[in-house]
Structure formats: C-alpha cells, structure tokens
Amino acid sequence: MTMLVERFNLPAALSSAPSKRDAETVQFAQAALTSAKREGLQLAVRARYVALVVIACLLLMINPAWEQLYYVALLGLFALIGWAQVRVACHGRNWHSCFATWRC
C-alpha cells in the first residue's frame, strides 16, 4: 500500500493548497485558450472575407446590372463588421483603448 501512495503521490493530491505547478498549469492553459480564441477568430474572419469575395463575383456574373452594386456595397459593410470584430477582440474588454487607438 505504501508503494501505491508514493507512486501516485496521494498526500499531495489530497492537499487543498494549490501548488506552484498547479498555478503554472492554469497560466499555461489560459494562455493556450487565449491564443486559440485569437487564431479561431482570425480564421473565421478570413473565411468570411473569402466567402464575401466569392458572393460579390457571383452577383456580378449572374446579373451584371448597376442595381447589383447595392448588394456589393452591403458585402463591403459585412467585411467592415468582421474587421471591427478583430479590432475589438485584440483589446479584450478595454473599450477605452479600443476606441482610442484602433490598432493592436
């Protein structure tokens, strides 16, 4: 029984005080999640841009009329919304710096 306790380090596992290693693990996990969120958002915005370009090209090829420019302008507005999402996300919840600088 003593070998199992030593092998699995049960007294350390049963202690309620967090160790330095636990704190480092939590910091590493938070950094990894933050990085994954940022990369996921960038991937989503890039995919949005590609889809908007494809839709704009299809709109102009299917019906090449001046009336279609309204829809192309709306697609530009959707691209602007994606750009704003990235800018707000890079500042997190700090709205003052987000609106003051608009750059990461």
Side-chain angles (χ1 to χ4, degrees):
M1 182 74 171
T2 306
M3 286 186 353
L4 286 176
V5 170
E6 290 174 358
R7 182 179 176 122
F8 292 118
N9 198 9
L10 287 178
L14 295 176
S15 67
S16 62
S19 67
K20 182 180 178 183
R21 183 174 179 180
D22 291 339
E24 290 173 355
T25 302
V26 168
Q27 288 177 348
F28 174 77
Q30 288 176 342
L33 285 174
T34 302
S35 174
K37 284 181 186 179
R38 182 175 47 251
E39 290 173 5
L41 179 63
Q42 289 175 348
L43 178 65
V45 170
R46 287 181 188 140
R48 177 186 298 182
Y49 289 157
V50 169
L52 290 174
V53 167
V54 168
I55 291 170
C57 291
L58 286 175
L59 276 173
L60 295 176
M61 285 190 316
I62 291 172
N63 189 4
W66 287 105
E67 292 84 20
Q68 298 301 318
L69 291 179
Y70 174 78
Y71 295 110
V72 174
L74 283 177
L75 293 175
L77 180 65
F78 291 137
L80 184 65
I81 291 170
W83 175 81
Q85 278 182 326
V86 171
R87 294 300 173 201
V88 169
C90 75
H91 289 285
R93 301 239 180 235
N94 190 354
W95 291 96
H96 298 292
S97 68
C98 179
F99 289 119
T101 61
W102 282 101
R103 58 189 147 124
C104 293

